[in-house]
Amino acid sequence: MYRGLAGMFILDDEDTAASGLPSEYGVDDIPVIVQDKQFTEDGQLTLQNDGNEIGLLGSTVMVNGTIGAHHKVTTEKVRLRLLNGSTARIYNFGFEDGRPFQLVATDGGLLRSPLEQRNIQLSPGERAEIVVAVEPGTTAMLRSSEPDLGAVAAPFAFGANDSFDVLELRAAGELAPSSAVSPTLSDFGTDEFDASVTRSFELEGRKINGRTMDMGRIDETVTLGATEVWEVRNKNLFPHNFHIHDVQFQILSIDGEAPPAHLAGRKDTVYLSPQKTYRLIMTFEDYADPQLPYMFHCHLLLHEDEGMMGQFVVVEPGQSAGAIPTNDGGAHHAPSAHPLPGVRDIRHDA
Ligand SMILES: [Cu+2]
C-alpha cells in the first residue's frame, strides 16, 4: 500500500440525483487519496520508520500519487472523497482560510443530513466526503492541521505537531452552477435494544485481547442476523484505531458520552483515543460462511503487519465455526469447533 497499491471503490445508488451532491467523476466529484511518504536524499522511497511506535510518518504528502497536487475547479461546488491511505499518519483536514464545508458522508455512506464543519480528522483507513464551495478565479488550499490524538504520551512523536498542504483547488473564472445539497441524505439507525451480544476488545501493544493474529484460529463466531455491541478500548498511551470487515457500525458512545455528530454516521474504522472505551453497534445482515473469516484489526499498518488482528466468522443460526482452509494442504480447526456435515472442502493444494 505504501508503494502505491491504494484505491477506492466508489458506490452510488439511484438516490444520488435527489441528493443534489456533485457527482460527475473527475469534474466535481473527486477522489482524494492521501498518503505520506518518506524519500531518501537521492529520491528513493523508504519505509525506514526509525523505531516509531506507530510506524513511518513521512514528510511528503501525496494525493492520488502526486506531490503538490491541484485540481482545476469548473463548478461552484466540488465534492471531495477523502481517504486516509497512509500507514500511520492521522490527518485533520480543513481549508487554510477556515472556510466551512458540508460533511456529507463517512466511511460507510451518506449521513442523515449534511453537517457544517471546518475540519474533519481521519486516521488510516477512514473516509469522509465533503462538499465545498469556491468563488470564481480564486484558489482554496485543503490542508491538514495538527490532529487531536487524545491523551497519548509524546503526541509530537505521533504527528500531533505536523501540518501539510494537501490539495489546491484552482477555480476557473466562470463556474457552472451546482445544486443545493439536499437537507436529507439518508436514513439509518440501529437500536441498542436490539443487541443480543456484547463483546469486548482490548488493544494493547500488537495484541487484541492478548492475542496476535493466527490464520488458523477463529476468534469470534457471530450468528447471521444478530445485532451486537462491540466494546473497544485502546489500553496504550499511543494511537490505535479499529477496523471491522463485513459490516458498518455506528458509535453508540465514547466513554459513556454520545459521539460527536461527525462520528455518528455509518463507519467501519474509528480512531481510538487512549484509555477510552468505544461502544460500537452493528448488525450482521448477510454473507454467512462458517469457514471463511472476516478480519478485525488496528488499521495502523505496522501494527496490523505485526499481528494486531483477529478473525470472525458469520454462521447460520445453530451452526458453529468450521475448519479454516490453509495453504499447507491441511485445515485448521477453531477451538471447540468441528467440521460440519456438508461443509464443502476447500483445501488448497500446496
Ligand atoms: Cu494499533
Side-chain angles (χ1 to χ4, degrees):
M1 210 177 93
Y2 181 69
R3 292 178 180 181
L5 268 178
M8 282 186 188
F9 291 102
I10 293 179
L11 306 180
D12 278 318
D13 64 21
E14 63 280 4
D15 293 335
T16 296
S19 70
L21 293 169
S23 55
E24 192 174 347
Y25 181 82
V27 176
D28 59 7
D29 181 354
I30 310 297
V32 180
I33 301 173
V34 183
Q35 298 187 294
D36 59 333
K37 310 283 182 182
Q38 192 65 27
F39 294 97
T40 61
E41 278 180 11
D42 58 350
Q44 299 298 304
L45 197 58
T46 174
L47 192 42
Q48 191 69 41
N49 76 7
D50 296 326
N52 192 308
E53 189 65 55
I54 64 169
L56 174 81
L57 294 172
S59 58
T60 300
V61 163
M62 301 179 87
V63 170
N64 302 343
T66 303
I67 297 172
H70 71 271
H71 174 66
K72 289 177 182 156
V73 179
T74 56
T75 52
E76 292 170 348
K77 293 180 187 172
V78 63
R79 174 189 192 176
L80 303 177
R81 299 183 189 244
L82 302 170
L83 161 63
N84 181 349
S86 297
T87 68
R89 186 177 288 287
I90 294 141
Y91 299 94
N92 186 9
F93 294 108
F95 287 88
E96 187 171 29
D97 59 6
R99 74 180 61 198
F101 54 80
Q102 290 175 296
L103 177 69
V104 297
T106 51
D107 310 339
L110 297 174
L111 300 179
R112 293 183 185 87
S113 50
L115 184 67
E116 186 174 298
Q117 294 279 117
R118 290 174 196 273
N119 52 57
I120 180 73
Q121 186 163 311
L122 299 180
S123 66
E126 285 186 290
R127 291 88 76 201
E129 290 181 29
I130 66 173
V131 175
V132 63
V134 295
E135 297 294 326
T138 65
T139 62
M141 181 63 84
L142 179 71
R143 282 181 58 79
S144 175
S145 55
E146 297 82 349
D148 174 7
L149 303 181
V152 298
F156 61 90
F158 306 121
N161 288 359
D162 297 350
S163 58
F164 299 92
D165 286 347
V166 175
L167 173 67
E168 187 177 59
L169 301 178
R170 298 178 183 168
E174 279 185 51
L175 299 175
S178 298
S179 304
V181 175
S182 169
T184 54
L185 294 172
S186 72
D187 190 25
F188 55 88
T190 309
D191 192 330
E192 190 173 356
F193 186 77
D194 294 327
S196 56
V197 177
T198 299
R199 302 175 199 265
S200 294
F201 299 86
E202 291 193 334
L203 282 75
E204 187 165 27
R206 303 293 182 265
K207 295 178 176 177
I208 300 175
N209 289 342
R211 302 194 284 203
T212 51
M213 175 73 170
D214 179 347
M215 289 184 72
R217 185 189 69 228
I218 298 295
D219 297 283
E220 308 289 340
T221 300
V222 172
T223 302
L224 185 66
T227 293
E228 300 198 355
V229 173
W230 288 20
E231 297 182 344
V232 186
R233 186 172 179 85
N234 171 8
K235 294 187 74 179
N236 291 119
L237 290 175
F238 55 83
H240 290 295
N241 70 5
F242 197 72
H243 172 53
I244 309 176
H245 290 204
D246 180 36
V247 287
Q248 294 294 322
F249 56 74
Q250 290 174 250
I251 301 172
L252 284 173
S253 64
I254 303 172
D255 257 16
E257 306 273 330
H262 67 275
L263 291 177
R266 287 167 290 192
K267 291 181 63 59
D268 54 43
T269 309
V270 61
Y271 179 70
L272 302 177
S273 264
Q275 317 287 321
K276 290 192 176 186
T277 298
Y278 292 70
R279 300 184 76 242
L280 317 176
I281 191 167
M282 66 214 82
T283 302
F284 295 84
E285 292 175 327
D286 40 27
Y287 309 122
D289 190 315
Q291 285 187 301
L292 297 180
Y294 298 98
M295 277 79 74
F296 54 86
H297 58 90
C298 179
H299 215 299
L300 306 188
L301 297 196
L302 175 73
H303 294 184
E304 176 181 350
D305 282 354
E306 293 183 350
M308 196 160 207
M309 184 173 331
Q311 308 191 98
F312 67 96
V313 287
V314 179
V315 299
E316 301 284 351
Q319 270 187 330
S320 46
I324 305 173
T326 64
N327 289 325
D328 60 7
H332 290 295
H333 293 242
S336 79
H338 47 82
L340 299 163
V343 169
R344 66 187 188 280
D345 186 340
I346 48 171
R347 278 178 272 183
H348 297 247
D349 291 325

